[in-house]
Each structure stands twice: as C-alpha cells, then as structure tokens.
Amino acid sequence: MSYRIIKDKIDNGDIVLLDGGTGSEIERRGIEMNDLAWCAIAHTEYPEVVRQVHESYIDSGADVIIANTFATAPHVLKRLGLEHQIADINQTAVRLALEARENAGMDICVAASMSSMPAFDEFSVPINDEVRAGFIRQAELLVDAGAEMIIAEMMRDVDISDMVISAARATGIPVWTGFSASVDDTGSLINYESPVRDDDTMPFRQMAQEVLSMGCDAAGVMHTSVHNTGPALAELNDLWDGPVFAYAESGQFVPPSWKFENIISPQDYLDYARQWIKQGVQVIGGCCGIGPEHIRVLHASRSKCLLK
C-alpha cells in the first residue's frame, strides 16, 4: 500500500492502523537488547525474528509497519564501533519490512523511524554538525532502501527535532512527527523525561508549537503513557489542524530493556483508542509494550465499524 492510499484513507475519514512496538516486540520474543543501543542491531543478528514481528503486525491488520530503525542513527551506531556498517544496518531494517510485506501478500505501507534516542552511555544526543550530517545520511539511506515515509519519533527536544525533521523532509517523502509527553510533579504536561538522557524539561505545548513550525504531513502523540496521551492530544489539537495519530506505550523502560509489567489489556487499549478518535485521531497504533494482539483487537473493532 503506497503512502498515497494511506493519505486517501485519511482524506476519506477512515481509520488507519499502525503496527505496535517493534523493538519491544523483538525483545518480548526473547532477543537480548544491546547495552548501548537497545534494539538497533537486533535485525542484523536475528533477521528472521524481526521479519516475523513485522509479519505478525501485518497479520493483525496493520496498514503501516515501521522498520527497526528507531535506534540506528549514525551517532548511536558509532558508539558501538559500527561506523562502517551504518548503511547496511539501516537498509537491512527497511529490507526486512519490505520482505515481510511481500511474504504476507498484503498491500500495506512501509515506514522508517528516525528518533531522538542517544547511545545510552551519552545520556543525550550531541548537537553538532557531525550528528546533523548523520541524520541526513540516515534519511537518505532509508529512502534509498524503499521506505515510503519517515516517522520522526519521540520529538521531545527542539534542537534534536530540527536535525531529524529537516533531514527527513529534505528527502521529499512524507514525514510524520510524533511527540512524546510526560507529567511533572505539579501535574503539568511537559516534554517526555527519559530514563537514558538528561532532559531540560519544558511545557509540552511550547515544545510542540516550536517543532510543528518545522513542518510535517501528520502529527501525533507516541511513546507516551495511555493516561497522558489524551491530554497531550488536546494540546496538540490546539496547535495543529492536519491529520493526527496516536500510539501509546505500556510498561516501563529500564535500560537496556523494556519491562512488560502491568501491560494494558487489548480491550482496555481499545477503549482508550476510541477516546482518542473522539479527539480527532485517525491513525491508531501502539508503541513499546503494545503488541500484535492489541492491533488485532483494534482491527476487529474497525472491521465491525465499532472503532469510532
């Protein structure tokens, strides 16, 4: 399914389904995560498992799957001593997603992820020309490999967002911007506070407003708890009148692993999804902790015209 068909569905008012968490689902299937880069190289060591993850999401009803490139930015891979494999690691991830689509025989869209994730021993993404050039290279590699759109994930910092989004938009393919939010001790909505980096917190609304000015084809809330996703969407709706998506997380990240504790049930996740749709969301999926079974329930409800 080309991006054009996804756009047509959105323009027609239809609900589009994303996949669930890719890295967390790889881990849930028994693959050990990298101490510095989480799921970044899982597809190079266990390609069949990663391909099967994509196929599981397609079988569950996803219209869009996201290649395992969340943690494959050049500045991350260099910390692993893999600077000579940057192209292969990024493009293999996209290739596996494309193969999963071919194997499934389903007409779905293949996206790639670019994110704000640092190598875990650096605590933050360096803001310099080398990192900016790395994001440009990553974006070009993903498109050359066949990615049909780029999702800028976990945009929670204005400077990093500028590097990611400008690189993605320069490729000419559609770019969706995913914001991540949390709540401070006063109950105020702020940018996402990460367990692996030193954050300068700022109000979510201010951060989103600055990042949205960089341009995108759709905007949404992702890698945010199910409880905070609705409030973040409300803020986003005040700033953005284009297509809106949502894919929340469930569980907890304790580097380098996702902890599958108190994972929301598929039915409860469906209930939240219905609330988000009432807020104007047209694209629903899941982030870390949300698996194929959650997407399958969303798909079944959509098929019965109950996901509304």
Side-chain angles (χ1 to χ4, degrees):
M1 181 182 293
S2 69
Y3 180 78
R4 169 54 61 182
I5 298 177
I6 294 295
K7 186 177 187 304
D8 288 344
K9 283 178 171 286
I10 294 172
D11 291 345
N12 290 335
D14 298 333
I15 300 300
V16 173
L17 295 183
L18 290 170
D19 58 8
T22 299
S24 61
E25 184 62 17
I26 293 168
E27 182 174 2
R28 193 183 69 80
R29 298 187 184 207
I31 303 306
E32 185 175 355
M33 297 289 99
N34 184 274
D35 287 341
L36 293 181
W38 191 41
C39 62
I41 57 175
H43 59 277
T44 68
E45 299 175 330
Y46 304 95
E48 187 60 34
V49 173
V50 175
R51 188 187 299 110
Q52 288 171 357
V53 167
H54 293 314
E55 290 172 353
S56 293
Y57 283 126
I58 296 170
D59 182 64
S60 295
D63 301 308
V64 181
I65 58 171
I66 306 173
N68 186 45
T69 58
F70 178 87
T72 59
H75 64 271
V76 176
L77 296 179
K78 286 180 179 179
R79 298 296 293 183
L80 276 65
L82 299 174
E83 55 267 32
H84 300 301
Q85 299 180 47
I86 289 169
D88 182 61
I89 290 171
N90 276 276
Q91 296 194 316
T92 296
V94 176
R95 176 175 55 80
L96 288 170
L98 292 169
E99 288 177 359
R101 175 172 68 181
E102 181 178 357
N103 291 345
M106 301 293 288
D107 194 13
I108 59 97
C109 179
V110 172
S113 167
M114 294 176 63
S115 82
S116 62
M117 198 195 97
F120 294 160
D121 65 339
E122 288 196 318
F123 298 104
S124 62
V125 177
I127 309 297
N128 57 45
D129 290 342
E130 180 182 1
V131 172
R132 181 179 292 275
F135 279 126
I136 293 171
R137 183 185 180 197
Q138 182 188 23
E140 293 172 347
L141 288 168
L142 298 175
V143 174
D144 288 346
E148 295 160 335
M149 70 171 172
I150 292 175
I151 305 182
E153 297 198 295
M154 291 196 78
M155 296 297 99
R156 56 193 178 183
D157 176 288
V158 174
D159 291 333
I160 299 171
S161 298
D162 176 64
M163 293 193 292
V164 172
I165 293 172
S166 61
R169 282 173 57 80
T171 65
I173 69 171
V175 176
W176 291 7
T177 297
F179 296 99
S180 299
S182 55
V183 172
D184 66 15
D185 293 338
T186 70
S188 299
L189 199 66
I190 58 173
N191 59 326
Y192 188 89
E193 293 186 283
S194 168
V196 298
R197 57 168 283 179
D198 296 325
D199 280 307
D200 293 324
T201 60
M202 64 187 300
F204 176 82
R205 186 186 187 91
Q206 177 187 345
M207 184 265 300
Q209 187 170 26
E210 292 190 43
V211 174
L212 283 170
S213 69
M214 301 170 191
C216 60
D217 295 278
V221 177
M222 52 79 60
H223 201 76
T224 298
S225 75
V226 292
H227 309 292
N228 293 334
T229 295
L233 286 169
E235 294 279 6
L236 189 61
N237 283 336
D238 287 342
L239 304 170
W240 171 254
D241 60 3
V244 178
F245 61 87
Y247 51 114
E249 68 180 23
S250 185
Q252 183 183 13
F253 190 46
V254 180
S257 301
W258 190 259
K259 302 301 180 182
F260 296 89
E261 300 170 354
N262 301 315
I263 298 296
I264 190 170
S265 72
Q267 185 60 48
D268 287 345
Y269 195 74
L270 171 63
D271 291 339
Y272 274 101
R274 287 172 171 153
Q275 294 176 30
W276 302 333
I277 289 170
K278 290 178 180 178
Q279 292 181 268
V281 168
Q282 280 188 261
V283 183
I284 299 282
C287 202
C288 297
I290 303 300
E293 65 278 9
H294 294 84
I295 306 305
R296 184 172 291 108
V297 168
L298 293 176
H299 175 65
S301 183
R302 181 181 65 173
S303 298
K304 297 176 182 177
C305 298
L306 298 175
L307 189 59
K308 57 183 179 179

Short mmCIF file of all heavy atoms in Angstrom, two decimals, residues 256-297:
data_model
loop_
_atom_site.label_atom_id
_atom_site.label_comp_id
_atom_site.label_asym_id
_atom_site.label_seq_id
_atom_site.Cartn_x
_atom_site.Cartn_y
_atom_site.Cartn_z
N PRO A 256 18.90 -1.69 29.53
CA PRO A 256 18.53 -1.57 28.12
C PRO A 256 17.26 -2.35 27.76
O PRO A 256 17.10 -2.74 26.61
CB PRO A 256 19.73 -2.19 27.42
CG PRO A 256 20.11 -3.33 28.33
CD PRO A 256 19.84 -2.82 29.74
N SER A 257 16.39 -2.59 28.72
CA SER A 257 15.27 -3.49 28.45
C SER A 257 13.92 -2.82 28.73
O SER A 257 13.79 -1.97 29.62
CB SER A 257 15.38 -4.74 29.33
OG SER A 257 16.59 -5.42 29.07
N TRP A 258 12.93 -3.26 27.96
CA TRP A 258 11.55 -2.87 28.25
C TRP A 258 10.97 -3.88 29.23
O TRP A 258 11.10 -5.09 29.04
CB TRP A 258 10.71 -2.83 26.98
CG TRP A 258 9.38 -2.20 27.24
CD1 TRP A 258 8.19 -2.82 27.42
CD2 TRP A 258 9.12 -0.80 27.37
NE1 TRP A 258 7.20 -1.90 27.68
CE2 TRP A 258 7.74 -0.66 27.65
CE3 TRP A 258 9.92 0.33 27.28
CZ2 TRP A 258 7.14 0.59 27.83
CZ3 TRP A 258 9.33 1.58 27.46
CH2 TRP A 258 7.96 1.70 27.74
N LYS A 259 10.37 -3.36 30.31
CA LYS A 259 9.79 -4.22 31.33
C LYS A 259 8.29 -4.38 31.06
O LYS A 259 7.55 -3.39 31.08
CB LYS A 259 10.02 -3.64 32.71
CG LYS A 259 11.49 -3.43 33.06
CD LYS A 259 12.27 -4.74 33.00
CE LYS A 259 13.75 -4.54 33.34
NZ LYS A 259 14.52 -5.80 33.25
N PHE A 260 7.88 -5.61 30.81
CA PHE A 260 6.49 -5.89 30.46
C PHE A 260 5.68 -6.09 31.74
O PHE A 260 5.20 -7.18 32.04
CB PHE A 260 6.42 -7.11 29.56
CG PHE A 260 7.10 -6.89 28.23
CD1 PHE A 260 8.45 -7.17 28.07
CD2 PHE A 260 6.40 -6.41 27.14
CE1 PHE A 260 9.09 -6.97 26.86
CE2 PHE A 260 7.02 -6.20 25.92
CZ PHE A 260 8.37 -6.48 25.78
N GLU A 261 5.54 -5.00 32.48
CA GLU A 261 4.84 -5.04 33.75
C GLU A 261 3.57 -4.20 33.66
O GLU A 261 3.60 -3.06 33.19
CB GLU A 261 5.74 -4.51 34.88
CG GLU A 261 7.02 -5.34 35.05
CD GLU A 261 8.02 -4.67 35.99
OE1 GLU A 261 7.76 -3.52 36.40
OE2 GLU A 261 9.04 -5.30 36.29
N ASN A 262 2.47 -4.78 34.10
CA ASN A 262 1.18 -4.08 34.08
C ASN A 262 0.82 -3.59 32.68
O ASN A 262 0.36 -2.46 32.51
CB ASN A 262 1.20 -2.91 35.07
CG ASN A 262 1.48 -3.35 36.49
OD1 ASN A 262 0.91 -4.33 36.97
ND2 ASN A 262 2.38 -2.64 37.16
N ILE A 263 1.05 -4.44 31.70
CA ILE A 263 0.71 -4.08 30.32
C ILE A 263 -0.80 -3.99 30.18
O ILE A 263 -1.55 -4.87 30.63
CB ILE A 263 1.27 -5.12 29.32
CG1 ILE A 263 2.80 -5.17 29.41
CG2 ILE A 263 0.82 -4.80 27.90
CD1 ILE A 263 3.49 -3.89 29.01
N ILE A 264 -1.27 -2.94 29.57
CA ILE A 264 -2.70 -2.73 29.38
C ILE A 264 -3.28 -3.85 28.51
O ILE A 264 -2.62 -4.32 27.58
CB ILE A 264 -2.96 -1.34 28.75
CG1 ILE A 264 -4.46 -1.02 28.77
CG2 ILE A 264 -2.39 -1.26 27.35
CD1 ILE A 264 -4.76 0.43 28.39
N SER A 265 -4.48 -4.28 28.83
CA SER A 265 -5.10 -5.33 28.04
C SER A 265 -5.53 -4.78 26.68
O SER A 265 -5.77 -3.57 26.54
CB SER A 265 -6.33 -5.89 28.77
OG SER A 265 -7.39 -4.94 28.75
N PRO A 266 -5.63 -5.63 25.67
CA PRO A 266 -6.09 -5.16 24.36
C PRO A 266 -7.45 -4.47 24.41
O PRO A 266 -7.66 -3.46 23.73
CB PRO A 266 -6.13 -6.44 23.52
CG PRO A 266 -5.06 -7.30 24.12
CD PRO A 266 -5.15 -7.04 25.59
N GLN A 267 -8.37 -4.98 25.21
CA GLN A 267 -9.70 -4.38 25.29
C GLN A 267 -9.64 -3.00 25.93
O GLN A 267 -10.30 -2.06 25.48
CB GLN A 267 -10.65 -5.28 26.08
CG GLN A 267 -12.08 -4.79 26.10
CD GLN A 267 -12.69 -4.68 24.71
OE1 GLN A 267 -12.59 -5.60 23.91
NE2 GLN A 267 -13.32 -3.54 24.41
N ASP A 268 -8.85 -2.86 26.99
CA ASP A 268 -8.71 -1.55 27.62
C ASP A 268 -8.02 -0.57 26.68
O ASP A 268 -8.35 0.63 26.67
CB ASP A 268 -7.93 -1.66 28.94
CG ASP A 268 -8.75 -2.30 30.05
OD1 ASP A 268 -9.99 -2.39 29.90
OD2 ASP A 268 -8.15 -2.72 31.06
N TYR A 269 -7.07 -1.07 25.91
CA TYR A 269 -6.40 -0.19 24.94
C TYR A 269 -7.39 0.27 23.88
O TYR A 269 -7.36 1.43 23.46
CB TYR A 269 -5.22 -0.92 24.29
CG TYR A 269 -4.28 0.01 23.56
CD1 TYR A 269 -3.41 0.84 24.26
CD2 TYR A 269 -4.26 0.07 22.17
CE1 TYR A 269 -2.55 1.70 23.60
CE2 TYR A 269 -3.40 0.93 21.50
CZ TYR A 269 -2.55 1.75 22.22
OH TYR A 269 -1.71 2.61 21.57
N LEU A 270 -8.27 -0.62 23.47
CA LEU A 270 -9.32 -0.25 22.52
C LEU A 270 -10.19 0.87 23.08
O LEU A 270 -10.55 1.81 22.36
CB LEU A 270 -10.18 -1.47 22.20
CG LEU A 270 -11.44 -1.23 21.38
CD1 LEU A 270 -11.12 -0.69 20.00
CD2 LEU A 270 -12.24 -2.54 21.26
N ASP A 271 -10.49 0.80 24.36
CA ASP A 271 -11.31 1.85 24.98
C ASP A 271 -10.61 3.20 24.91
O ASP A 271 -11.23 4.23 24.63
CB ASP A 271 -11.62 1.49 26.43
CG ASP A 271 -12.55 0.30 26.56
OD1 ASP A 271 -13.27 0.00 25.58
OD2 ASP A 271 -12.57 -0.32 27.64
N TYR A 272 -9.30 3.21 25.17
CA TYR A 272 -8.54 4.47 25.04
C TYR A 272 -8.53 4.93 23.59
O TYR A 272 -8.67 6.12 23.30
CB TYR A 272 -7.11 4.26 25.54
CG TYR A 272 -6.94 4.45 27.02
CD1 TYR A 272 -6.86 3.35 27.87
CD2 TYR A 272 -6.85 5.73 27.58
CE1 TYR A 272 -6.70 3.52 29.24
CE2 TYR A 272 -6.69 5.90 28.95
CZ TYR A 272 -6.62 4.79 29.77
OH TYR A 272 -6.46 4.96 31.13
N ALA A 273 -8.34 4.00 22.67
CA ALA A 273 -8.30 4.35 21.25
C ALA A 273 -9.59 5.05 20.84
O ALA A 273 -9.58 6.01 20.06
CB ALA A 273 -8.05 3.11 20.40
N ARG A 274 -10.70 4.56 21.32
CA ARG A 274 -11.98 5.19 20.99
C ARG A 274 -12.04 6.62 21.52
O ARG A 274 -12.59 7.52 20.87
CB ARG A 274 -13.13 4.35 21.56
CG ARG A 274 -13.37 3.06 20.78
CD ARG A 274 -14.37 2.17 21.47
NE ARG A 274 -14.76 1.05 20.63
CZ ARG A 274 -15.18 -0.12 21.10
NH1 ARG A 274 -15.28 -0.32 22.41
NH2 ARG A 274 -15.51 -1.09 20.26
N GLN A 275 -11.47 6.84 22.70
CA GLN A 275 -11.42 8.21 23.24
C GLN A 275 -10.56 9.11 22.35
O GLN A 275 -10.92 10.26 22.08
CB GLN A 275 -10.86 8.19 24.66
CG GLN A 275 -11.73 7.47 25.67
CD GLN A 275 -11.07 7.40 27.05
OE1 GLN A 275 -10.30 8.28 27.44
NE2 GLN A 275 -11.34 6.34 27.78
N TRP A 276 -9.42 8.57 21.90
CA TRP A 276 -8.54 9.38 21.05
C TRP A 276 -9.19 9.71 19.72
O TRP A 276 -9.02 10.80 19.19
CB TRP A 276 -7.21 8.64 20.84
CG TRP A 276 -6.50 8.31 22.12
CD1 TRP A 276 -6.58 8.99 23.31
CD2 TRP A 276 -5.61 7.22 22.35
NE1 TRP A 276 -5.80 8.38 24.27
CE2 TRP A 276 -5.19 7.30 23.71
CE3 TRP A 276 -5.12 6.18 21.56
CZ2 TRP A 276 -4.31 6.37 24.27
CZ3 TRP A 276 -4.24 5.26 22.10
CH2 TRP A 276 -3.84 5.36 23.45
N ILE A 277 -9.95 8.75 19.19
CA ILE A 277 -10.65 9.01 17.93
C ILE A 277 -11.66 10.14 18.11
O ILE A 277 -11.83 10.99 17.22
CB ILE A 277 -11.33 7.72 17.43
CG1 ILE A 277 -10.24 6.74 16.93
CG2 ILE A 277 -12.32 8.01 16.31
CD1 ILE A 277 -10.76 5.36 16.62
N LYS A 278 -12.32 10.19 19.28
CA LYS A 278 -13.25 11.28 19.54
C LYS A 278 -12.52 12.62 19.60
O LYS A 278 -13.14 13.68 19.41
CB LYS A 278 -13.99 11.03 20.85
CG LYS A 278 -14.99 9.89 20.77
CD LYS A 278 -15.67 9.64 22.12
CE LYS A 278 -16.67 8.50 22.02
NZ LYS A 278 -17.31 8.21 23.34
N GLN A 279 -11.21 12.57 19.85
CA GLN A 279 -10.39 13.78 19.86
C GLN A 279 -9.86 14.13 18.47
O GLN A 279 -9.07 15.06 18.34
CB GLN A 279 -9.22 13.63 20.84
CG GLN A 279 -9.62 13.56 22.31
CD GLN A 279 -8.42 13.45 23.22
OE1 GLN A 279 -7.98 12.35 23.57
NE2 GLN A 279 -7.87 14.57 23.61
N GLY A 280 -10.26 13.37 17.48
CA GLY A 280 -9.86 13.68 16.11
C GLY A 280 -8.78 12.80 15.53
O GLY A 280 -8.35 13.01 14.39
N VAL A 281 -8.32 11.81 16.28
CA VAL A 281 -7.27 10.91 15.78
C VAL A 281 -7.84 10.01 14.70
O VAL A 281 -8.92 9.45 14.83
CB VAL A 281 -6.70 10.07 16.94
CG1 VAL A 281 -5.84 8.93 16.41
CG2 VAL A 281 -5.90 10.95 17.89
N GLN A 282 -7.07 9.85 13.61
CA GLN A 282 -7.47 8.95 12.53
C GLN A 282 -6.50 7.79 12.33
O GLN A 282 -6.82 6.83 11.64
CB GLN A 282 -7.56 9.71 11.21
CG GLN A 282 -8.86 10.49 11.03
CD GLN A 282 -8.96 11.05 9.63
OE1 GLN A 282 -8.66 12.22 9.41
NE2 GLN A 282 -9.36 10.22 8.70
N VAL A 283 -5.33 7.88 12.95
CA VAL A 283 -4.32 6.83 12.81
C VAL A 283 -3.98 6.32 14.20
O VAL A 283 -3.54 7.08 15.06
CB VAL A 283 -3.06 7.34 12.10
CG1 VAL A 283 -2.06 6.20 11.92
CG2 VAL A 283 -3.41 7.97 10.76
N ILE A 284 -4.20 5.01 14.43
CA ILE A 284 -4.01 4.42 15.75
C ILE A 284 -3.03 3.26 15.64
O ILE A 284 -3.11 2.43 14.73
CB ILE A 284 -5.34 3.87 16.31
CG1 ILE A 284 -6.37 4.98 16.48
CG2 ILE A 284 -5.10 3.17 17.65
CD1 ILE A 284 -6.18 5.86 17.68
N GLY A 285 -2.11 3.18 16.58
CA GLY A 285 -1.21 2.04 16.67
C GLY A 285 -0.74 1.90 18.10
O GLY A 285 -1.44 2.29 19.04
N GLY A 286 0.42 1.33 18.29
CA GLY A 286 0.96 1.17 19.63
C GLY A 286 2.46 1.34 19.64
O GLY A 286 3.13 1.11 18.63
N CYS A 287 2.99 1.73 20.78
CA CYS A 287 4.43 1.86 20.95
C CYS A 287 4.90 0.75 21.88
O CYS A 287 4.29 -0.31 21.93
CB CYS A 287 4.76 3.26 21.48
SG CYS A 287 6.46 3.78 21.15
N CYS A 288 5.97 0.97 22.60
CA CYS A 288 6.58 -0.07 23.43
C CYS A 288 5.56 -0.74 24.35
O CYS A 288 4.77 -0.08 25.00
CB CYS A 288 7.70 0.52 24.26
SG CYS A 288 9.07 1.17 23.28
N GLY A 289 5.60 -2.06 24.38
CA GLY A 289 4.71 -2.83 25.23
C GLY A 289 3.41 -3.22 24.56
O GLY A 289 2.72 -4.14 25.02
N ILE A 290 3.04 -2.52 23.50
CA ILE A 290 1.82 -2.82 22.76
C ILE A 290 2.17 -3.79 21.63
O ILE A 290 3.04 -3.50 20.81
CB ILE A 290 1.18 -1.54 22.19
CG1 ILE A 290 0.89 -0.54 23.32
CG2 ILE A 290 -0.09 -1.87 21.42
CD1 ILE A 290 -0.04 -1.05 24.39
N GLY A 291 1.51 -4.93 21.60
CA GLY A 291 1.90 -5.98 20.66
C GLY A 291 0.83 -6.31 19.63
O GLY A 291 -0.20 -5.63 19.53
N PRO A 292 1.06 -7.36 18.85
CA PRO A 292 0.12 -7.75 17.79
C PRO A 292 -1.30 -7.99 18.28
O PRO A 292 -2.26 -7.71 17.56
CB PRO A 292 0.75 -9.03 17.23
CG PRO A 292 2.22 -8.88 17.49
CD PRO A 292 2.29 -8.19 18.82
N GLU A 293 -1.43 -8.52 19.50
CA GLU A 293 -2.77 -8.79 20.00
C GLU A 293 -3.57 -7.50 20.18
O GLU A 293 -4.80 -7.49 19.99
CB GLU A 293 -2.70 -9.56 21.32
CG GLU A 293 -2.08 -8.83 22.49
CD GLU A 293 -0.55 -8.86 22.51
OE1 GLU A 293 0.07 -9.32 21.53
OE2 GLU A 293 0.02 -8.40 23.52
N HIS A 294 -2.91 -6.42 20.52
CA HIS A 294 -3.60 -5.13 20.66
C HIS A 294 -4.06 -4.63 19.29
O HIS A 294 -5.19 -4.16 19.15
CB HIS A 294 -2.66 -4.09 21.29
CG HIS A 294 -2.29 -4.39 22.71
ND1 HIS A 294 -1.25 -5.24 23.03
CD2 HIS A 294 -2.80 -3.94 23.89
CE1 HIS A 294 -1.15 -5.30 24.35
NE2 HIS A 294 -2.07 -4.53 24.90
N ILE A 295 -3.19 -4.76 18.30
CA ILE A 295 -3.55 -4.30 16.95
C ILE A 295 -4.67 -5.18 16.39
O ILE A 295 -5.57 -4.69 15.70
CB ILE A 295 -2.31 -4.33 16.02
CG1 ILE A 295 -1.16 -3.52 16.65
CG2 ILE A 295 -2.68 -3.78 14.64
CD1 ILE A 295 -1.52 -2.09 17.02
N ARG A 296 -4.64 -6.46 16.71
CA ARG A 296 -5.68 -7.37 16.22
C ARG A 296 -7.06 -6.97 16.76
O ARG A 296 -8.06 -7.01 16.02
CB ARG A 296 -5.35 -8.80 16.61
CG ARG A 296 -6.32 -9.83 16.06
CD ARG A 296 -5.84 -11.24 16.30
NE ARG A 296 -4.66 -11.55 15.49
CZ ARG A 296 -3.44 -11.69 15.97
NH1 ARG A 296 -3.22 -11.56 17.26
NH2 ARG A 296 -2.42 -11.97 15.17
N VAL A 297 -7.12 -6.57 18.01
CA VAL A 297 -8.39 -6.13 18.60
C VAL A 297 -8.86 -4.83 17.95
O VAL A 297 -10.05 -4.66 17.67
CB VAL A 297 -8.26 -5.99 20.13
CG1 VAL A 297 -9.47 -5.26 20.71
CG2 VAL A 297 -8.11 -7.36 20.77
#
